[in-house]
């Protein structure tokens, strides 16, 4: 469904992604893991159209996404929860959610979508009139995910879902994301520094280092691989003697 093929991305003269290729199939949860500065957010922003590619292509159901402006990419069903949530603090929770439904097909069904989001995160309904800036970190993450869902995406991109959240809240978000993936067949592309978490949620995963994809596979296999354990899970190689 989403195909990223041999893309190069730069910030000015500085190259941030080298020859990156990956695919995300319908209904999958795919994760991209890697350390700080590896290029995860750069890839997310590129898919969303905030950064341009200098080589390769990005294709979604046979439409070239990399040639479209940001709002047209949202219309193609791609919606991102950015790193650090980026909600509008001076607007109410409800106004933030409505911002997510600014594209046309989504606007017509926004009352229905809103009801679904309130079912996923009931606290957002309780706080609908409150200024978003007064929400706790976890509630802001719920709002950011809710806002992204308001555009009725086919593919939800989540950049650093767990950052700054308590383990209990992280478990709650995992449950919700896995639930909507299963029930609504929503495709999810999840970027995480918490490699253990990401691989335990996803079907497949890719590993990025210094702007290059250096590994990929079934999430279960990656979780068991010695390289991943050593590099990201802080485990020593098992002593084979
Ligand atoms: N706005 C920017 N201008 C220049 N370089 C940037 C910018 N944003 C990120 N970078 C660089 O691109 C690389 C990848 O960053 P990023 O995609 O944010 O990594 P990650 O999300 O994996 O932590 C890093 O070397 C970072 O310093
Ligand atoms: Mg990042």
């Amino acid at each position: 469904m989403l195909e990223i093929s041999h893309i190069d991305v730069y910030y000015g003269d500085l190259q941030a992604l080298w020859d990156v290729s990956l695919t995300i199939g319908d209904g999958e949860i795919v994760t991209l893991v890697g350390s700080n500065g590896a290029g995860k957010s750069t890839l997310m922003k590129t898919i969303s159209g905030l950064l341009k590619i200098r080589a390769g292509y990005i294709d979604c159901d046979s439409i070239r996404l990399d040639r479209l402006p940001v709002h047209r990419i949202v219309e193609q069903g791609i919606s991102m929860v950015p790193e650090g949530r980026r909600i509008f603090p001076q607007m109410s929770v409800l106004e933030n959610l409505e911002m997510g439904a600014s594209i046309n097909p989504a606007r017509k069904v926004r009352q229905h979508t809103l009801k679904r989001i309130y079912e996923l995160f009931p606290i957002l309904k309780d706080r609908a009139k409150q200024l978003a800036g007064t929400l706790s970190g976890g509630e802001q993450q719920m709002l950011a995910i809710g806002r992204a869902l308001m555009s009725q995406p086919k593919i939800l991109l989540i950049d650093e879902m767990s950052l700054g959240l308590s383990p209990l809240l992280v478990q709650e978000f995992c449950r919700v994301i896995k639930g909507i993936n299963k029930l609504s067949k929503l495709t999810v592309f999840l970027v995480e520094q918490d490699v253990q978490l990401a691989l335990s949620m996803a079907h497949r995963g890719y590993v990025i280092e210094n702007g290059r994809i250096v590994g990929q596979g079934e999430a279960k296999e990656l979780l068991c691989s010695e390289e991943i354990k050593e590099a990201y899970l802080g485990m020593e190689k098992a002593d084979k003697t």
Side-chain angles (χ1 to χ4, degrees), residues 85-102:
R85 342 295 194 212
R86 304 285 159 135
I87 49 132
F88 303 104
Q90 299 301 331
M91 288 167 62
S92 73
V93 167
L94 179 59
E95 285 165 340
N96 267 274
L97 289 170
E98 282 181 336
M99 292 286 290
S102 56

Side-chain angles (χ1 to χ4, degrees), residues 14 19-20 25 28 51 55 65 67 81 85 87 116 119 125 149 159 188 227 239:
L14 269 174
D19 198 33
V20 167
E28 273 193 307
L51 293 170
L65 287 189
R67 292 178 177 159
V81 182
R85 342 295 194 212
I87 49 132
R116 264 191 54 220
E119 281 162 16
K125 189 177 185 184
L149 290 175
D159 194 351
V188 178
E227 286 78 18
D239 198 343

Side-chain angles (χ1 to χ4, degrees), residues 40-41 83 159-160:
K40 303 182 299 299
S41 296
E83 188 174 356
D159 194 351
E160 305 286 2

Side-chain angles (χ1 to χ4, degrees), residues 22 153 164-165:
L22 60 84
L165 302 181

